[in-house]
Amino acid sequence: MRETMSVTSSTQNKINKRSKKLSHSRINKIKICSNGDNNNRISIEKNQQIQKAIPLLAQAFANGFFTEVNCRILSENLLDELAHKVYEFVQKQGELNRTLILNKFMNESLLNEFVNKIYIGDFEEDKIKTNEMNSMSIILYKTKDDNPFIHEVSVEGEKQHFGCRWSLPHSQFESLWETLEFDLPLKSQLMQYVFTVIRFDKANIDRTVIHCNQTILLYGPPGCGKTTLCKGLAQKVSIRMKELFNRFYFYELNAGSLFSKWFSESSHNLTRFFEDITQICCDPLTFVIILIDEIESLSMSRTSSLSSNEPSDMLRVVNTLLTQIDRLKSFSNILILTTSNLIEIIDQALIDRSDLILFIGPPSIKTIFHIYRACFHELIEKHLIYSQNQSEEIKDKLWNLAKFSDGLSGRTLRKLPMIAFSHIQQFDHFIHPEQLFKAMHQQLINHKNTNNYLQQFNNQ
C-alpha cells in the first residue's frame, strides 16, 4: 500500500487527471542477482514513477508551495478522493498565511475521519491568495511512531550508546519545520539543495566533473534552531521525496559517547557507527540522513591539537571522521548534516568538505514577532488565553514586546511565555492577554539583568 500520494495541478480538472495517472504508477522493486563470483549486484529496472515525479517536484519547488496532509489512515481506494477534498478545502480558505497549519475541518466528514493536520507553506510571502497560486502540490502521508533503534556496543564491560536511528517520517519530528522562523529563506534553500543533489544523481551527472559531498554545516550561537532545523529538514525530505525512494532513515550521532578511556577505541567506535550506515546505503532506494550535532567535539583542528599537546586519540577521531565522510561520498542516497557553536575550532578539512555552510543567528525583530504571534495563537487555541478578537491591539503589543526582545535566541523566546505564565496569579482556568504581556515584559527585564550581571562577572 502506498504511504504517500503526490498531486500537482493548477486547476480542478488537471488535478483529477493527474491523480488518476499517478495512482497507477509505482516504484519497481529491486532485483538482487548473483554473478559467477557469488557477489550480489543490484539491477534497477527503468523507473517510470521517478521519471514522472522529478518534473512534478521541480515545479513544486519552483513555486515554493507544498500542501502536506498528515493522515491517520491511508486507504488505497480513498487516496484520490482525499486529495481532491484537500484541494477543495484549501481553495476555500481564500487567503493563506505563511506556514499555515489547518487542523479544524468544519462540515468535512472525510477530512475529519482521515486527516490529523494539513501543513501549507514554504512560500516566502507572509500571505498568499488561493486564486493567485499557479499550482498546488498535495502530499498525503502517515507518520511512524515506533521507538528508535539504539546503537550500542560493549567494550571491556562498558556499554556505550553511539546514537539512534529513526524510520521517517516519524511522529517525534512532526511540526518542527513549521515552528522555525528565520529572516532569510534558509528552509527553502536547504530543501532546494537536497532536491538538486537527488536530481543530479537521477540525471547521472558525472561526479568527477561536478563535485558534491552531500554535507551541510550549520553554525552559530546556541539556541537559534540549528538542531531543530536539521530534524525538520530530515522529516520534510522523507515526505516530499517519498516518490523517489522506498525508505528514509535518520541517524543522530551522540558525539560525546564515542570517546572511550581505552586508547584508539574512540576512532573504532566511530567506524562501527558508520559501518551500519554504509550497509544501508547499498540499497539505492533507501535515503539516509545523518546528524552530527556539535561536530567541533569530533573535528577539532588538528593543527591546534598538536600545538596544545592534545592526546593523539583526538587526531585519530578527526582522521576517521574525514575518511568516513569521503567513503560515504560514493553513495548518492545520503545527506550529512552537521552543526557547530564553535566553527572557528573546526578542522579546515571538514569545512572544505561541506557543500553548504550557513550561519544561523539570533532572530530579527520581525522574526521575533512571528514567533510570539505563533505562541499566543497556540495559547488562545488551547483556551489558556481568553481573547475577544482584539487582533490589532494584540499585534501592536507583540511588536513592542519583540523590539524589547531583540538579541535573544529562539530557544529563549519560546520558553518565555511558559515562564511568564507560571508567574501569573490565576483566578480562573484562563488568563487575559494583558496579563501575559506584563508577565513576559517583567521576565525580559529579569533576563537582561541576569545577562548584565554575568557579563560583569566574566569581565572581572
Side-chain angles (χ1 to χ4, degrees), residues 308-368:
S308 60
N309 296 320
E310 287 285 338
S312 59
D313 202 28
M314 183 65 200
L315 298 180
R316 290 173 178 263
V317 170
V318 177
N319 290 332
T320 301
L321 177 63
L322 295 175
T323 300
Q324 294 298 333
I325 290 177
D326 288 339
R327 286 178 178 174
L328 291 176
K329 188 173 62 174
S330 62
F331 297 101
S332 59
N333 54 334
I334 192 165
L335 176 67
I336 302 174
L337 305 173
T338 65
T339 71
S340 175
N341 299 330
L342 300 167
I343 189 175
E344 60 273 9
I345 68 172
I346 294 179
D347 194 276
Q348 186 60 41
L350 178 69
I351 294 177
D352 188 58
R353 281 166 171 78
S354 301
D355 296 333
L356 280 182
I357 303 174
L358 301 176
F359 175 72
I360 312 294
S364 68
I365 294 175
K366 181 180 178 180
T367 302
I368 294 173

Side-chain angles (χ1 to χ4, degrees), residues 149 151 162-166 214 249-254 269-284 286-292 321 324-325 327-331 333-337:
F149 172 77
H151 284 264
F162 296 160
C164 302
R165 184 187 72 202
W166 282 268
Q214 296 142 236
Y249 289 117
F250 175 72
Y251 285 81
E252 185 174 15
L253 177 62
N254 185 0
N269 290 343
L270 191 59
T271 302
R272 293 186 186 103
F273 178 78
F274 278 99
E275 281 176 353
D276 178 62
I277 295 173
T278 303
Q279 291 178 0
I280 289 181
C281 285
C282 289
D283 178 2
T286 297
F287 195 82
V288 177
I289 302 168
I290 307 171
L291 170 60
I292 308 177
L321 177 63
Q324 294 298 333
I325 290 177
R327 286 178 178 174
L328 291 176
K329 188 173 62 174
S330 62
F331 297 101
N333 54 334
I334 192 165
L335 176 67
I336 302 174
L337 305 173

Side-chain angles (χ1 to χ4, degrees), residues 118-334:
I118 299 176
Y119 299 97
I120 303 173
D122 274 11
F123 52 89
E124 300 304 330
E125 300 85 355
D126 286 339
K127 293 183 180 180
I128 188 172
K129 294 182 179 179
T130 54
N131 58 6
E132 295 177 353
M133 295 187 303
N134 295 323
S135 66
M136 184 186 300
S137 177
I138 298 175
I139 304 175
L140 310 176
Y141 70 97
K142 185 175 182 295
T143 58
K144 301 174 176 62
D145 56 5
D146 53 328
N147 293 325
F149 172 77
I150 307 297
H151 284 264
E152 282 185 337
V153 69
S154 181
V155 180
E156 298 291 336
E158 177 186 347
K159 270 193 174 183
Q160 291 180 284
H161 169 201
F162 296 160
C164 302
R165 184 187 72 202
W166 282 268
S167 182
L168 298 177
H170 200 279
S171 58
Q172 186 170 334
F173 304 138
E174 195 69 3
S175 300
L176 291 180
W177 189 256
E178 285 70 26
T179 62
L180 294 167
E181 290 279 355
F182 298 105
D183 301 305
L184 299 175
L186 295 174
K187 294 195 288 187
S188 59
Q189 184 178 355
L190 289 170
M191 285 299 305
Q192 284 277 14
Y193 164 80
V194 178
F195 177 61
T196 301
V197 169
I198 295 172
R199 194 175 183 183
F200 273 40
D201 173 62
K202 300 305 178 185
N204 295 318
I205 295 296
D206 188 343
R207 293 205 169 191
T208 61
V209 178
I210 300 178
H211 290 244
C212 177
N213 290 312
Q214 296 142 236
T215 302
I216 297 173
L217 171 60
L218 305 179
Y219 73 98
C224 292
K226 298 184 294 296
T227 304
T228 304
L229 181 58
C230 290
K231 293 179 178 179
L233 176 64
Q235 181 84 339
K236 288 302 177 186
V237 168
S238 70
I239 294 169
R240 297 179 184 178
M241 302 184 195
K242 182 66 175 173
E243 297 291 329
L244 308 180
F245 298 92
N246 284 345
R247 289 164 297 278
F248 291 82
Y249 289 117
F250 175 72
Y251 285 81
E252 185 174 15
L253 177 62
N254 185 0
S257 67
L258 287 171
F259 291 96
S260 172
K261 62 184 179 182
W262 308 103
F263 182 73
S264 79
E265 194 62 36
S266 301
S267 59
H268 291 162
N269 290 343
L270 191 59
T271 302
R272 293 186 186 103
F273 178 78
F274 278 99
E275 281 176 353
D276 178 62
I277 295 173
T278 303
Q279 291 178 0
I280 289 181
C281 285
C282 289
D283 178 2
L285 292 184
T286 297
F287 195 82
V288 177
I289 302 168
I290 307 171
L291 170 60
I292 308 177
D293 212 4
E294 298 182 358
I295 196 170
E296 64 269 12
S297 62
L298 294 179
S299 59
M300 187 177 296
S301 172
R302 288 168 290 183
T303 304
S304 61
S305 296
L306 288 171
S307 62
S308 60
N309 296 320
E310 287 285 338
S312 59
D313 202 28
M314 183 65 200
L315 298 180
R316 290 173 178 263
V317 170
V318 177
N319 290 332
T320 301
L321 177 63
L322 295 175
T323 300
Q324 294 298 333
I325 290 177
D326 288 339
R327 286 178 178 174
L328 291 176
K329 188 173 62 174
S330 62
F331 297 101
S332 59
N333 54 334
I334 192 165

Side-chain angles (χ1 to χ4, degrees), residues 82-101:
L82 197 54
H84 302 154
K85 285 293 183 183
V86 169
Y87 176 83
E88 294 170 353
F89 182 76
V90 173
Q91 287 290 326
K92 290 178 184 177
Q93 304 305 307
E95 189 174 72
L96 305 174
N97 295 321
R98 182 174 59 178
T99 60
L100 178 66
I101 302 176

Side-chain angles (χ1 to χ4, degrees), residues 422-434:
S422 68
H423 283 78
I424 298 174
Q425 188 175 4
Q426 300 177 43
F427 299 98
D428 209 331
H429 62 279
F430 61 81
I431 64 171
H432 295 277
E434 186 62 35

